[in-house]
Amino acid sequence: MAFRFNFAADDSDDDSMSNALPVPSSQDLPAEVRAPARYHTLQQLMARIPRNISYATISITPTVSIPRRELYDVRMQLMDEDELSGNGSERGIIVGLGEEDIRTSLYEGGLKSWECSVDLVRHLASLYEQTGPESKKVLELGCGTSLPSLFLFQTTLSATKTVKHPFTHFTLADYNFEVLRLVTLPNIILSWAMLNHLSSSPEPWESEGDLDVTEALTAAFLSDLSSRGITLDFVSGGWGAEMAQLLKPTSPYDLALGSETIYSPSTTPLFADVLLEVLKGGEGSGLVAAKQIYFGVGGSVTDFVELVRSKDSNAQIRVVREEKEAGVGRSIVEISNKSSQS
């Protein structure tokens, strides 16, 4: 029920972006045994935030740097929680820190940063260089360490210093709730802390270190988001109709993001359904970054494009970025409604 991305080097501390390809796996588990979709508020996740976060900052472009929680720090938190609970109930997620990078229907790789997420950050950065930042309702499906959303979050924080109370809504969705609380939210706090430090201190941000998540810091984080009109919420569980219903109670999303989300032919149709549903009725677009083909697993950009066209004849689809410098090529596909392009 599992496959590995076969890393050649020790990646236990996530020193570089994961870029290997999956090897053949057994058939995915039936949809009915996959994790049900669940909605989580920022306050619920903040209640379980660690008191200290060890991090390393990665440089993606000359002007874009993103701090991420270290994997060894996640491991230590899980071990401490297991000791406190006495029953090892959290231990299952450690599969993501061991030999298997993905275990179908249990853990979908969210603790690591994948290569295509960096491509997506670079593409978003190039867009903002041309058009400037905009206030948007943003969704990232299969967010994991959430590098693309972290870039947009940082851009939003910088922009709102001169814009009065913009309303910006970020929804982060990952298969595993544990990923959301162990890396997604800590990474958001790290990005906020970095920008807050850079705007208030003459000292440079340390590229590696530890952030003490004190009550004062937590209060300042929540207060700052509120004053800027920034909303964060979270969804865990498998893609499908249940998740689509949770994600679209009101207005459609302006921007939906996904990276390394189409590697499995059995789940790609579910991903496409959710993506199209959250954009329906609006003028927003989806950006999906992926390897052009996932050998041994079956997913490909070509198949994904054909699938979207078969599901929505009104979809406008185009490749907006390609990376071909080495190995298997990578692409970013934009999906929007034809009526919004007229």
Side-chain angles (χ1 to χ4, degrees):
M1 293 295 180
F3 66 80
R4 295 190 58 196
F5 277 78
N6 273 1
F7 290 89
D10 178 14
D11 58 8
S12 61
D13 289 331
D14 202 19
D15 292 329
S16 61
M17 298 305 103
S18 301
N19 58 13
L21 292 173
V23 298
S25 66
S26 56
Q27 186 176 359
D28 289 342
L29 293 177
E32 59 266 22
V33 301
R34 294 176 64 83
R38 296 285 185 269
Y39 177 83
H40 313 281
T41 66
L42 175 61
Q43 288 71 22
Q44 288 171 331
L45 266 68
M46 288 296 295
R48 302 184 67 181
I49 201 72
R51 297 299 92 188
N52 181 274
I53 302 172
S54 297
Y55 69 89
T57 305
I58 60 170
S59 178
I60 295 180
T61 76
T63 59
V64 177
S65 295
I66 299 177
R68 301 172 302 161
R69 189 181 188 189
E70 294 274 31
L71 277 182
Y72 74 80
D73 196 40
V74 175
R75 185 184 293 113
M76 292 299 296
Q77 180 180 345
L78 288 171
M79 292 175 64
D80 289 344
E81 289 177 351
D82 284 350
E83 290 180 3
L84 290 173
S85 67
N87 57 20
S89 60
E90 308 281 359
R91 183 94 33 203
I93 197 67
I94 293 184
V95 66
L97 304 176
E99 294 184 352
E100 295 165 313
D101 294 295
I102 289 179
R103 177 170 288 225
T104 302
S105 295
L106 175 63
Y107 167 73
E108 299 291 340
L111 291 171
K112 297 187 178 182
S113 295
W114 300 96
E115 190 176 21
C116 291
S117 65
V118 176
D119 293 341
L120 193 46
V121 172
R122 289 174 176 154
H123 178 67
L124 291 168
S126 68
L127 289 180
Y128 282 118
E129 287 177 0
Q130 299 170 19
T131 64
E134 297 178 24
S135 183
K136 290 182 176 290
K137 184 178 180 183
V138 179
L139 165 68
E140 185 173 355
L141 293 166
C143 63
T145 59
S146 63
L147 297 185
S149 291
L150 291 174
F151 165 73
L152 294 177
F153 180 66
Q154 290 184 13
T155 303
T156 302
L157 290 177
S158 299
T160 56
K161 293 174 183 177
T162 57
V163 179
K164 185 176 181 180
H165 303 304
F167 177 77
T168 305
H169 187 137
F170 290 89
T171 300
L172 292 306
D174 193 271
Y175 185 78
N176 297 102
F177 170 75
E178 297 302 317
V179 166
L180 294 173
R181 78 174 184 94
L182 292 168
V183 294
T184 306
L185 180 56
N187 285 353
I188 291 171
I189 293 174
L190 284 168
S191 275
W192 174 84
M194 181 181 74
L195 289 190
N196 188 57
H197 174 87
L198 292 175
S199 66
S200 62
S201 173
E203 298 297 325
W205 170 259
E206 294 188 4
S207 61
E208 298 181 1
D210 294 279
L211 178 70
D212 290 328
V213 186
T214 62
E215 290 186 6
L217 183 141
T218 297
F221 170 71
L222 294 174
S223 175
D224 196 28
L225 295 190
S226 177
S227 67
R228 296 173 185 266
I230 298 173
T231 301
L232 300 174
D233 55 16
F234 306 84
V235 174
S236 64
W239 298 317
E242 187 179 32
M243 177 173 284
Q245 183 65 29
L246 285 176
L247 289 172
K248 195 182 176 185
T250 54
S251 61
Y253 283 85
D254 299 298
L255 181 62
L257 307 171
S259 56
E260 308 276 16
T261 50
I262 62 169
Y263 55 84
S264 170
S266 67
T267 57
T268 297
L270 299 173
F271 169 77
D273 286 342
V274 175
L275 180 70
L276 292 171
E277 183 64 27
V278 300
L279 296 174
K280 185 182 297 183
E283 297 183 354
S285 62
L287 291 171
V288 179
K291 294 180 176 67
Q292 291 174 2
I293 187 168
Y294 290 87
F295 290 112
V297 181
S300 73
V301 170
T302 299
D303 288 346
F304 173 68
V305 169
E306 292 178 355
L307 175 67
V308 172
R309 284 182 175 145
S310 70
K311 287 178 174 291
D312 186 354
S313 60
N314 289 321
Q316 179 75 40
I317 306 170
R318 63 190 183 110
V319 175
V320 294
R321 185 184 181 98
E322 290 185 314
E323 300 286 348
K324 298 181 178 179
E325 72 279 3
V328 174
R330 307 187 306 276
S331 300
I332 297 178
V333 179
E334 181 187 67
I335 300 100
S336 57
N337 193 295
K338 287 182 180 179
S339 61
S340 69
Q341 302 295 312
S342 58

